[in-house]
Amino acid sequence: MKTFLFISLWLACYPTFAQSTTTLAYDVSGNRISKKMQGSGPQPSVVASPQAVNPGQQVALSASGCPGTVKWSTGQQGANVTVTPTVTTQYSASCVIAGCVPGVSNVTVDIIQCVLDEVTVATSATIVRYGQPVTLIAYGCTGKVEWSTGQTGNSAIIDVYGPVTQFTATCTKPYCASAGSAFTYVAGTSGCGTGDVLTTLKSGNWNDPSVWSCGRIPTLTDAVYLADGHLINVNVTGYAKLLIQGGGQLLYPSTEPYYTIVFPSY
């Protein structure tokens, strides 16, 4: 009666990257009677970007560390592929090398259902004088609120310039471009009393009274607002208490005399 002894040895299936198991069988006299080899390729490193998406949104899958051919569970081949899942899905990447059992790695892409929140916006005032602050408050957002002014948070304090301005609050959540939004309007009115702001009505020269909302040139006691799109030539030495650029621009002379705007020294 013969007795068999099985010895397992680790040998390289693919140089440096993978391993194979070699099983040798011997009889009682020490004679080898069989040899079986089974190797496995390396497990690739698999990444999904992004790893959570809305249904039907594209996801880039990439596999690295495979010296052979990458085959995906979707039937696609190559280190980089694109998929469009509609439900949470696990994807597998196999590293295929001749003579080796494929090494396999998995990655899961989660599907996020973006539910719109019922967002509303309230304002502390709907009509204010130019330069006066207004508090905006957003309600109903379960994520993060982003305002059209660039501010974030459930509330924002803004200074109003211009006849009518729309302010929008957008509710954002991870992996959701928008989870609801709402807007409100605030009207600004100009005046020529103490504390009012002089605003530009058109492009022109600093010393042209028709450029300014009160029909007069600004002084050291005036805050001035450069409305969007207005280009003001600094053709004289100008004076202002405060300069607010709402999209307008001052054009300084490029040759002598080099006029500028003078502000109070406190």
Side-chain angles (χ1 to χ4, degrees):
M1 179 177 178
K2 293 185 177 180
T3 302
F4 299 95
L5 175 65
F6 294 89
I7 302 175
S8 293
L9 303 175
W10 287 96
L11 301 175
C13 170
Y14 190 91
T16 305
F17 297 101
Q19 292 179 324
S20 64
T21 301
T22 301
T23 302
L24 305 178
Y26 296 87
D27 61 20
V28 292
S29 300
N31 300 311
R32 192 181 75 186
I33 59 175
S34 68
K35 176 181 179 181
K36 182 180 180 181
M37 298 183 65
Q38 186 175 25
S40 61
Q43 289 183 320
S45 176
V46 182
V47 176
S49 180
Q51 200 164 345
V53 293
N54 296 326
Q57 183 179 341
Q58 286 192 337
V59 177
L61 302 179
S62 61
S64 59
C66 174
T69 301
V70 177
K71 293 186 177 181
W72 297 88
S73 53
T74 59
Q76 298 165 281
Q77 292 189 25
N80 300 287
V81 298
T82 300
V83 294
T84 310
T86 56
V87 296
T88 296
T89 305
Q90 177 177 276
Y91 296 95
S92 299
S94 300
C95 181
V96 180
I97 301 172
C100 298
V101 174
V104 180
S105 295
N106 303 314
V107 66
T108 298
V109 177
D110 294 318
I111 293 298
I112 304 297
Q113 298 289 347
C114 291
V115 179
L116 295 180
D117 290 341
E118 294 185 6
V119 182
T120 59
V121 174
T123 177
S124 60
T126 56
I127 301 177
V128 295
R129 303 290 265 186
Y130 282 1
Q132 291 186 337
V134 170
T135 300
L136 306 174
I137 303 176
Y139 297 96
C141 175
T142 58
K144 183 178 73 172
V145 176
E146 296 181 354
W147 295 92
S148 52
T149 59
Q151 296 165 278
T152 59
N154 290 338
S155 63
I157 299 176
I158 52 93
D159 294 330
V160 175
Y161 298 96
V164 179
T165 305
Q166 176 179 302
F167 299 100
T168 302
T170 301
C171 183
T172 62
K173 299 177 183 179
Y175 307 108
C176 299
S178 174
S181 64
F183 61 86
T184 188
Y185 292 100
V186 179
T189 60
S190 61
C192 299
T194 302
D196 282 323
V197 178
L198 293 186
T199 64
T200 56
L201 302 177
K202 62 180 182 179
S203 297
N205 294 327
W206 181 278
N207 66 345
D208 181 356
S210 67
V211 166
W212 303 99
S213 57
C214 290
R216 62 176 177 82
I217 303 170
T219 68
L220 280 175
T221 62
D222 294 313
V224 299
Y225 177 78
L226 304 182
D228 188 29
H230 292 172
L231 303 178
I232 307 302
N233 297 308
V234 182
N235 63 326
V236 294
T237 297
Y239 299 90
K241 177 182 178 181
L242 176 67
L243 180 66
I244 306 162
Q245 290 182 286
Q249 184 179 355
L250 293 179
L251 302 179
Y252 291 96
S254 58
T255 59
E256 293 185 352
Y258 297 113
Y259 296 115
T260 188
I261 304 300
V262 177
F263 300 96
S265 56
Y266 296 101

